[in-house]
Amino acid sequence: MSCDLHFSQTLCEKAEQYFEAARPFFGGREKEIMENLEHCNEAQKICMKYLYGTMPISDIANYDFSLFLTYVDHALFLRKNTPWCQTIPEDIFLNHVLYYRVNTEDITDCRRAFYDLCWPRLVQANKTTSMKEAALELNYWCFENATYRQTDDRTANPLTVLRCAYGRCGEESTFATTAFRSVGIPTRQIYTPRWPHCDDNHAWIEVWCDGDWHYLGACEPEEVLDKGWFTAAASRAMIIHSRMFSDYVEGEEIVTHEGLTTICNELFRYADKQTFSIKVTENGKPVQGVTLRIELLNYSEFFPISTLISDENGEASITLGLGDLHIHAVKDGKFMTRLVDSRNESSVTLDFADACSCQTENLTGEEYDVVPPKDNMKFAVRLTDEQKETQQKKFDAAASLLHEKEAHFYTEESADKAAKELGLCGEAAKFAAKALFDAKGNSDEIMTFLKAASSAENMVLRAKLLNVLTVKDKTDLCAEVLEKHLANAAEPKDLADEIYIPYLLSPRVATEKLTDWRTALSEQFTEEQKSDFRANPETAWNWILENISSNDEREYGSLIAVPASLLKVGFGSHLSKKVLFVAICRTLGVAARLNPETKAAQYYCNGSFHNVEKDSKAQTLPFTIVSGDDTKWVYFQNWSVALLRDGIYHTLDLSQREWKDGKVQLDLAPGAYRLLTAKRMPNGSLFTKEYRFTVAENAADSLTIRLRDTKISDMLENMDILPFSLKDKDGNKVAAEKLTEGKANILFWLEEGKEPTEHILNELIEHHKRYNALDAQLVFIIRNDDAKKNHTLAKALELLPNVTICYDDFRENVSSIARRMYVDPDKLPLIVVTKPGLNGIFATSGYNVGMGDLLIKILAD
């Protein structure tokens, strides 16, 4: 075939190969795809075949040909009309400019819309000749339109983030990637699946400029590239990923393939590293095909950050950071585990003769420490004072525009008023008001849905439906879709609201896009089939298994083909099939759900939910977890439970279970379990206990658990804080390195009048004699002298006459120092203990009971 001159012969051949390999999975969309390709020019054909050949099956199912063509046409426009796009290497252009998907977001026709917003900004700022300058400028635009806010795991699409002005880091980075790609700057999402030093993960972006990749915090503008609040944290990472949806890539360390995605390791740009090698042998001979899960202890569970397969020599290797890791090796149901310190070991040999298919019991708790890598400030970039001043001015201007945008959203007060004006009262008014407030820039859709009520009773039902949807649903739902569900849903009959509304009326099943599946599913089946499915929902599940095929190698695991599209294509993931089952049941008037703890597909019958999948039908047994100390147990914070199945531990989600009187009651399927307790130290290390137990008719029905005991010395850090400055009462600059030299210090950033600060001040007052006796300097940092009018602060200053008072605007220093010490920058007071000079040994933010006493013990230790 002849190819457009823009593309190499290699790409033409690869696109054709990819396309033909994917073609068997087009199902009911094949005619649409083939007919539309005939109307494409050569360049369009190459790009469309590349996309269809590399996209997950769920995307083939969910979206029309015309949507993907808008991405292709815009990318070709950029290739031709944007100066820097013409010099971008082909693989980078395809994967990081053309490609439509970034994360797990719903795909919408948005690239041209973002271009129309972003390109004029670059023209106005005279930033159209330098990719680096353009990237820095666009990140200010991103911040003007969206800021960070914690949300659920479903990834909102870029237009939703733009409309509603917020997102979690994965959504901010998807949003920023879309903005940058829209003007032809190659951009990719960078992700650390779990931090080793804290219970969290993070996503940001990298932009390709002038021959290399550089990082930026998404919607977190800086004056230079390769700088972000997470720089120090990233230097402690064990692995940092980028993701592509093809293997057409050059110059990258490919860690693994997950379905159609290619996972690349970008750690070298951020942290000290080494190549870590694993060899698996048995009786001296290499063992091939062993799955090697590289795991981190995080959220009190062992979480796989990468998965390797041993080759014909029994070997596998990966670039990792320098910290503790947990290796879980498994093959044919047999497994073994090993905790490894990669600071001292660059390789390990596993004797698979020690593997077994069952676990050893340990009801008293095996103890071990898990230590993260040390951070390394050699990767940090420091701004000049002039750059800091410029950044602050631009940041303040951008923040003002963001706040102006947010001012158009409903407040809690205006939402309450709007709900009452609709004639709602009581609980229904509360639900409607919350929906309007949660919806942000999508409140018009909420109001449209509410106003379409046919009666007062019907409006109450609509408010109740909105209440069972997620906060994120309210930001991107379509009133028309809800309207169709309401119109076509079965009557509640004898179902109570708590079953009928979330499990029959609601369109939400898992994390799929909300669509009108009732109409399509009602037309899909004969009356005889519908009758059979209603009488015995398991026949619906059997029909799905017989008629919908799966191919995990051509999927991206967390994506879901929506019910109607799944039926059209005939291919989908196991999760997509479970969503389809629930949708079929609800369409036919049978309440159904995915179990919130196990994610098993269930239907409601005779007052309870029943599992439909064969492997999840095991009878459960009561099991009690008993606290052996006074710990406040929080699931996924200091404990978790995992079920051993096929040689792998699968963590259960028991976060909704409540502790009462030092106990929590569980219902567990018979089998082997691992319970982990973890106590996170301020330096990031985890003190762990691992319990292993069996649930069976003749086994114990309870387990007593404890956290590890710790000493003060276990809590201390050793962090060099970058120089910063405060001000004295006359407004003169006070260099922190001079202020803190000569003796130990406790620095308090105080928010007078607020409850957390009031608590710590009261503890300082209570222990004032002990503080006055310390050979240490106490530094109170306030915004201005008005703070001294606060009664509690004034009392503390009276009883602590040697306190040094400094002043700060609480903008840059609080954020940078809190993040440097790995505490929450959004909580005050911020308290930092240092050795003489700027060496931080302890920090806390917010208020914890007994902190006043603890600070004294730390300085005395």
Side-chain angles (χ1 to χ4, degrees), residues 600-657:
Q602 299 180 314
Y603 63 93
Y604 189 76
C605 182
N606 296 326
S608 62
F609 283 98
H610 302 267
N611 292 349
V612 71
E613 302 161 85
K614 289 182 179 179
D615 61 355
S616 62
K617 285 187 175 182
Q619 179 184 1
T620 60
L621 297 171
F623 196 87
T624 305
I625 306 296
V626 180
S627 178
D629 54 31
D630 60 357
T631 297
K632 180 181 178 182
W633 295 101
V634 180
Y635 202 77
F636 285 138
Q637 179 177 308
N638 53 19
W639 75 293
S640 75
V641 178
L643 169 64
L644 180 64
R645 188 170 66 241
D646 300 325
I648 296 174
Y649 285 99
H650 300 267
T651 303
L652 307 180
D653 184 355
L654 304 176
S655 54
Q656 300 303 310
R657 298 297 179 104

Side-chain angles (χ1 to χ4, degrees), residues 244 247 249 252-257 262-265 308 317:
M244 288 166 293
D247 58 6
V249 56
E252 296 281 355
E253 178 193 353
I254 297 176
V255 177
T256 190
H257 295 278
T262 299
I263 308 298
C264 298
N265 195 348
L308 310 175
S317 63

Side-chain angles (χ1 to χ4, degrees), residues 106 442 445-446 448-449 462 465-466 469 473 476-489 505-508 512-519 562-563:
D106 174 39
N442 198 46
E445 291 292 321
I446 301 291
T448 296
F449 178 65
R462 288 166 185 258
L465 173 57
L466 290 170
L469 299 179
D473 284 338
D476 61 7
L477 63 78
C478 173
E480 183 180 0
V481 169
L482 289 190
E483 201 66 56
K484 290 181 178 178
H485 278 278
L486 201 61
N488 295 312
L505 177 61
S506 174
R508 168 61 62 215
E512 75 286 357
K513 177 184 178 181
L514 295 185
T515 58
D516 170 31
W517 36 258
R518 291 183 204 266
T519 301
V562 299

Side-chain angles (χ1 to χ4, degrees), residues 364-368 675-679 687-691 705-709:
T364 59
E366 177 184 348
E367 296 187 352
Y368 47 84
L675 187 151
L676 298 176
T677 72
K679 189 172 187 177
F687 283 14
T688 308
K689 289 175 76 77
E690 178 178 325
Y691 301 85
I705 64 173
R706 296 174 178 84
L707 283 183
R708 291 264 306 275
D709 292 329

Side-chain angles (χ1 to χ4, degrees), residues 328 330 333-337 356-361 641-652 669-674 692-694:
H328 185 112
V330 59
K334 295 177 64 179
F335 73 99
M336 62 183 301
T337 63
C356 62
S357 57
C358 58
Q359 69 178 13
T360 56
E361 298 284 292
V641 178
L643 169 64
L644 180 64
R645 188 170 66 241
D646 300 325
I648 296 174
Y649 285 99
H650 300 267
T651 303
L652 307 180
Y673 290 84
R674 178 179 68 192
R692 296 182 294 274
F693 62 94
T694 299

Side-chain angles (χ1 to χ4, degrees), residues 2 54 98 122 226 304 473 552 641-642 653 662 706 741 746 778 840:
S2 62
T54 57
L98 164 67
L122 297 181
D226 300 316
D473 284 338
D552 291 340
V641 178
D653 184 355
R706 296 174 178 84
E741 68 183 1
I746 311 178
L778 273 61

Side-chain angles (χ1 to χ4, degrees), residues 303-492:
F303 182 86
I305 59 171
S306 188
T307 302
L308 310 175
I309 306 294
S310 62
D311 61 17
E312 63 274 11
N313 299 314
E315 297 175 346
S317 63
I318 185 174
T319 300
L320 291 174
L322 307 180
D324 287 353
L325 57 94
H326 189 260
I327 300 173
H328 185 112
V330 59
K331 182 179 182 181
D332 299 329
K334 295 177 64 179
F335 73 99
M336 62 183 301
T337 63
R338 178 80 62 84
L339 188 65
V340 179
D341 178 359
S342 69
R343 285 172 293 266
N344 299 312
E345 298 179 80
S346 61
S347 64
V348 64
T349 298
L350 303 178
D351 185 354
F352 211 64
D354 295 334
C356 62
S357 57
C358 58
Q359 69 178 13
T360 56
E361 298 284 292
N362 190 325
L363 302 181
T364 59
E366 177 184 348
E367 296 187 352
Y368 47 84
D369 301 347
V370 179
V371 182
K374 294 181 178 179
D375 74 355
N376 192 333
M377 291 305 289
K378 75 180 183 183
F379 295 93
V381 176
R382 291 187 64 187
L383 297 181
T384 65
D385 288 345
E386 183 180 356
Q387 286 175 319
K388 288 181 180 179
E389 185 176 346
T390 299
Q391 180 187 28
Q392 193 62 61
K393 288 180 180 178
K394 292 168 69 174
F395 185 90
D396 289 345
S400 178
L401 290 172
L402 176 63
H403 296 153
E404 188 178 310
K405 180 177 181 177
E406 293 172 327
H408 292 91
F409 302 155
Y410 277 100
T411 64
E412 291 182 346
E413 293 75 18
S414 63
D416 286 340
K417 181 180 178 182
K420 290 174 182 175
E421 289 175 349
L422 288 170
L424 290 167
C425 60
E427 190 177 62
K430 182 178 72 173
F431 294 159
K434 187 176 187 305
L436 290 169
F437 175 75
D438 289 343
K440 306 305 180 193
N442 198 46
S443 58
D444 285 351
E445 291 292 321
I446 301 291
M447 189 60 80
T448 296
F449 178 65
L450 289 169
K451 286 184 174 180
S454 57
S455 65
E457 182 182 11
N458 184 254
M459 187 178 289
V460 169
L461 179 61
R462 288 166 185 258
K464 289 180 178 179
L465 173 57
L466 290 170
N467 186 57
V468 301
L469 299 179
T470 67
V471 170
K472 189 169 292 177
D473 284 338
K474 297 161 194 173
T475 67
D476 61 7
L477 63 78
C478 173
E480 183 180 0
V481 169
L482 289 190
E483 201 66 56
K484 290 181 178 178
H485 278 278
L486 201 61
N488 295 312
E491 293 297 320

